Amino acid sequence: MATDIVSQLADSLAKTGVEEGELSYKGQARKLDDFQSVEEIVKEIEDFEGLQALRLEGNTVGVEAAKAIAKALETKSQLKRCYWSDMFTGRLRSEIPPALNSLGDALMLAGAKLTVLDLSDNAFGPDGVKGIERLLKSSSCYTLQELRLNNCGMGIGGGKILAASLIECHKKSIVKGAALSLKVFVAGRNRLENDGATALAQAFQLIGSLEEIHMPQNGINYPGVAALATAVQHNPNLRTLNLNDNTFTHVGATAMAKALKHLQSIQVINFGDCLVRPAGATAIAKTVSEGLPILKELNLSFGEITEEAALAVAQAVKNKKQLEKLDLNGNYLGEDGCKALKDYMEGINMAELLASLSDDEGEPEDEDDEEDDDDEEEEEEDDDDDYEDLDEEEVEEEEEEEDEDEGEEEQDQNTGKVLSTPPSAPRPSDVSSFLSFPSPDKLLKLGAKRATLIEQQVDVTDARKTAEAFLKIASVYKEDNNEVKNAVLESVDALLRKVFSSSLQGYDFVSTLLVLLGLIKSEDKVKPVLVVAGHLQALEHAVRQDYFPKESVAVLEAFMSRNKVLESCGSSRHKLQSTLQRTRAES
């Protein structure tokens, strides 16, 4: 009996969580398709008196299940916090807006006054933002303090819809006598770009109450950064500003440096991987030295900053008594510059606050400090031209020459002498050899069981190794050789079917693939591969298969439609884009 009571108590605690009035189903990986699958949850919501927080993250909710949950929420007027991230894994993109509309309408009908709305990691795109548009404009959000939409694939369109909704919410809330006072805004990894960021900047400027802004990895360049710089000046209580992995250049960095002068409550500045460049870093250093008294963390890593600018930053934080971390890793300091920086920080008794410099890029190869955006675009075009100069046939010819060289010499394990291997007796090919130096011949020599052998060899729990294996297999694709073509597609199908058997593995694979194709930048400094037509032809085949998730199709389409990196692949790129659009429309 005592054991039963303990079990019931443990179960109850697991569901209710530690916050007062919280009902939690967090991370239970439930597949909620219809009323029957959600019946237990509905009853528990209905029976929960004084419900203030509902956690549904880490489950997958269909349209009918959402309607059932929504019905139960229609009487929950005390509900304040909705933790609904990662809630639509495996769902068609078309299912998400009606599900969100049902839930939002229920909150409005109940008269709920939300303080937290978290819909991160749902990859719902612009259509998903439309699904919460009514809710965001309603009185249920006049009290909103935290809005978290990280990694939702909103894009420019979604960013504009979101901005317009927040602006209308603010205006309507003022009429009711209590202005929207949003404190935390999170929208990283959404490809907002300049237009989306500029639209949101207008909302931020109007709201004026923000304390935290997190918008990393959004493809924002200096025009968008400048718009955000203007907006943050009107939010004097801002404590955290995270714009990591966007492209400031010295123009955006200088605008942001001027804005920071108005933010004397700022504690965390994360401009890592933003290419602030020496001029931008120096401007920021000047602002830091003249104010920002409670600064705790300054991240200017991977910004192409040189020794002189880095030392200026170090000197600027000298009197920051609350400083906890200064990150200048991954810049252009060189060995002498790193030593000078470390020595200076040690001299002012702040050495322990300096982050590792292990990824320093060394001294810059040239001293040309031209930093305007046009020059950057020219550099990117030069990179693309380099890729175009090396066509697929040349790559394969080089690989085949390497294969021949490998076969010409072999070492005797007993005598150590180099033995000649006659051309008529080539070494048997294996999976490791193929993945190290892919060639059509090696793939065919793996025999009829090649797909199984590759599937067994590749650890699909490692997203990077899996994505690299996919690209290596695809690189030998030949449209005019049916034997090679079928071998590639057969191997790709076996590998990806295994990858997508787990939604988490599949998500990690697609994210890593986007990095390796050069469609998004990596926080880990992973360099893109040389993209050839075969990569896109194999991917086009894969997205048409039943194992390829529809939400991943939407993600690929979103990134490809706004990126010119793959233009060198010509017809293969256009065919992939057409297939992605058609597949998404059919879903």
Side-chain angles (χ1 to χ4, degrees):
M1 182 61 125
T3 303
D4 291 340
I5 293 173
V6 170
S7 297
Q8 290 172 14
L9 179 60
D11 184 60
S12 176
L13 287 171
K15 289 176 180 174
T16 58
V18 295
E19 289 191 39
E20 181 183 359
E22 180 179 288
L23 182 59
S24 176
Y25 302 93
K26 180 178 179 180
Q28 295 185 12
R30 297 193 188 194
K31 194 171 189 295
L32 308 172
D33 296 322
D34 48 29
F35 177 78
Q36 285 72 29
S37 63
V38 83
E39 190 171 4
E40 176 191 350
I41 293 175
V42 168
K43 187 175 188 312
E44 289 174 346
I45 292 174
E46 291 173 340
D47 294 344
F48 199 113
E49 294 294 333
L51 180 64
Q52 295 183 33
L54 178 61
R55 288 188 174 275
L56 293 174
E57 65 262 58
N59 299 285
T60 176
V61 182
V63 175
E64 295 306 315
K67 288 179 179 178
I69 293 172
K71 187 68 177 174
L73 291 175
E74 289 180 357
T75 59
K76 302 301 174 182
S77 60
Q78 296 180 54
L79 186 62
K80 298 178 181 178
R81 302 182 300 278
C82 297
Y83 300 103
W84 296 347
S85 63
D86 189 20
M87 203 171 72
F88 298 109
T89 300
R91 298 293 169 184
L92 298 177
R93 190 168 171 178
S94 59
E95 292 182 82
I96 300 176
L100 290 173
N101 274 319
S102 296
L103 294 167
D105 290 348
L107 296 176
M108 290 186 280
L109 185 60
K113 303 296 181 185
L114 297 184
T115 57
V116 178
L117 179 60
D118 186 356
L119 289 166
S120 299
D121 300 317
N122 278 315
F124 48 46
D127 292 341
V129 185
K130 291 179 182 177
I132 58 172
E133 187 176 6
R134 284 203 303 265
L135 174 62
L136 289 174
K137 293 178 179 179
S138 75
S139 59
S140 288
C141 285
Y142 292 174
T143 51
L144 196 62
Q145 295 181 15
E146 296 184 20
L147 180 58
R148 300 177 183 272
L149 296 167
N150 200 58
N151 191 33
C152 287
M154 289 190 290
I156 295 172
K160 289 182 175 180
I161 295 169
L162 176 60
S165 300
L166 290 174
I167 289 171
E168 184 170 337
C169 180
H170 185 265
K171 290 180 178 178
K172 289 165 67 176
S173 67
I174 290 176
V175 173
K176 293 297 182 181
L180 169 66
S181 297
L182 189 67
K183 291 181 171 58
V184 177
F185 180 83
V186 181
R189 299 184 68 184
N190 270 292
R191 297 304 300 177
L192 295 169
E193 300 186 16
N194 290 331
D195 289 347
T198 301
L200 285 166
Q202 294 172 352
F204 298 163
Q205 183 168 334
L206 186 66
I207 292 169
S209 57
L210 285 162
E211 296 178 5
E212 295 184 26
I213 296 176
H214 301 267
M215 296 173 66
Q217 203 172 356
N218 268 298
I220 306 170
N221 298 324
Y222 70 86
V225 173
L228 288 170
T230 300
V232 297
Q233 296 178 42
H234 297 270
N235 290 265
N237 295 322
L238 195 66
R239 298 196 314 266
T240 298
L241 182 56
N242 176 8
L243 296 175
N244 187 283
D245 200 4
N246 291 291
T247 306
F248 282 34
T249 73
H250 79 289
V251 180
T254 302
M256 197 59 75
K258 293 177 181 177
L260 289 172
K261 294 178 181 179
H262 300 268
L263 303 177
Q264 296 305 304
S265 295
I266 198 79
Q267 296 179 6
V268 177
I269 299 171
N270 186 345
F271 297 160
D273 202 11
C274 286
L275 297 183
V276 298
R277 304 280 172 76
T282 302
I284 292 170
K286 187 174 186 297
T287 296
V288 172
S289 66
E290 295 173 352
L292 316 190
I294 58 173
L295 185 64
K296 291 184 176 180
E297 182 177 332
L298 177 59
N299 184 346
L300 296 177
S301 59
F302 298 96
E304 296 189 357
I305 299 170
T306 53
E307 177 184 348
E308 183 179 358
L311 287 171
V313 173
Q315 291 162 7
V317 302
K318 178 180 179 180
N319 296 315
K320 304 303 168 190
K321 302 300 182 185
Q322 297 188 37
L323 190 72
E324 296 174 0
K325 184 178 181 182
L326 173 63
D327 193 345
L328 291 167
N329 193 22
N331 283 300
Y332 288 160
L333 306 186
E335 187 175 344
D336 291 341
C338 287
K339 184 178 186 305
L341 180 60
K342 290 177 181 177
D343 288 346
Y344 178 80
M345 292 296 286
E346 187 173 348
I348 59 173
N349 296 318
M350 299 179 82
E352 72 280 3
L353 306 183
L354 182 64
S356 168
L357 300 174
S358 59
D359 293 318
D360 186 74
E361 299 283 354
E363 295 181 12
E365 293 181 4
D366 58 61
E367 299 299 321
D368 185 6
D369 265 346
E370 283 292 335
E371 298 187 35
D372 62 50
D373 202 54
D374 291 338
D375 286 345
E376 289 184 3
E377 290 178 3
E378 288 172 10
E379 289 172 13
E380 291 176 3
E381 288 170 4
D382 288 343
D383 290 342
D384 291 342
D385 291 341
D386 290 342
Y387 289 156
E388 291 171 7
D389 289 341
L390 187 62
D391 64 27
E392 188 175 358
E393 289 184 6
E394 289 173 345
V395 172
E396 289 174 358
E397 285 172 7
E398 288 182 9
E399 289 170 346
E400 286 171 6
E401 286 173 7
E402 288 176 0
D403 295 342
E404 290 170 5
D405 291 341
E406 285 177 3
E408 286 174 0
E409 296 183 327
E410 191 171 282
Q411 192 172 43
D412 188 299
Q413 296 295 325
N414 297 320
T415 65
K417 293 180 179 180
V418 175
L419 305 177
S420 174
T421 305
S424 59
R427 289 185 305 178
S429 181
D430 58 27
V431 176
S432 297
S433 175
F434 167 70
L435 292 177
S436 297
F437 299 98
S439 72
D441 186 53
K442 281 187 178 181
L443 181 63
L444 294 177
K445 285 181 178 178
L446 290 174
K449 294 184 178 181
R450 66 179 69 85
T452 303
L453 293 172
I454 291 173
E455 177 192 339
Q456 292 172 347
Q457 176 79 11
V458 179
D459 179 8
V460 295
T461 62
D462 187 321
R464 182 170 177 182
K465 288 181 179 177
T466 307
E468 288 175 344
F470 166 77
L471 292 173
K472 287 176 178 178
I473 297 167
S475 70
V476 304
Y477 180 100
K478 284 183 175 291
E479 184 64 39
D480 57 355
N481 186 322
N482 284 334
E483 186 179 12
V484 174
K485 175 181 174 180
N486 292 335
V488 168
L489 299 183
E490 175 187 284
S491 302
V492 163
D493 284 341
L495 179 62
L496 297 192
R497 196 177 298 279
K498 186 175 180 180
V499 170
F500 289 116
S501 64
S502 163
S503 59
L504 180 59
Q505 283 176 185
Y507 172 81
D508 289 342
F509 167 78
V510 171
S511 299
T512 306
L513 185 63
L514 288 170
V515 171
L516 293 175
L517 290 175
L519 296 175
I520 58 175
K521 285 195 285 186
S522 167
E523 296 174 359
D524 300 323
K525 302 300 166 191
V526 177
K527 292 185 178 180
V529 301
L530 167 61
V531 180
V532 296
H535 292 148
L536 305 190
Q537 289 165 326
L539 188 55
E540 189 273 335
H541 163 83
V543 300
R544 289 187 281 110
Q545 308 310 308
D546 57 2
Y547 59 72
F548 205 96
K550 301 307 178 188
E551 63 267 27
S552 294
V553 171
V555 171
L556 282 171
E557 184 195 3
F559 282 101
M560 283 198 64
S561 63
R562 295 191 295 274
N563 203 302
K564 298 181 179 180
V565 171
L566 306 179
E567 283 190 344
S568 61
C569 293
S571 61
S572 298
R573 175 177 178 267
H574 294 310
K575 185 177 180 182
L576 173 57
Q577 280 189 305
S578 298
T579 300
L580 289 168
Q581 292 168 0
R582 185 172 62 254
T583 303
R584 188 170 72 85
E586 291 172 352
S587 65

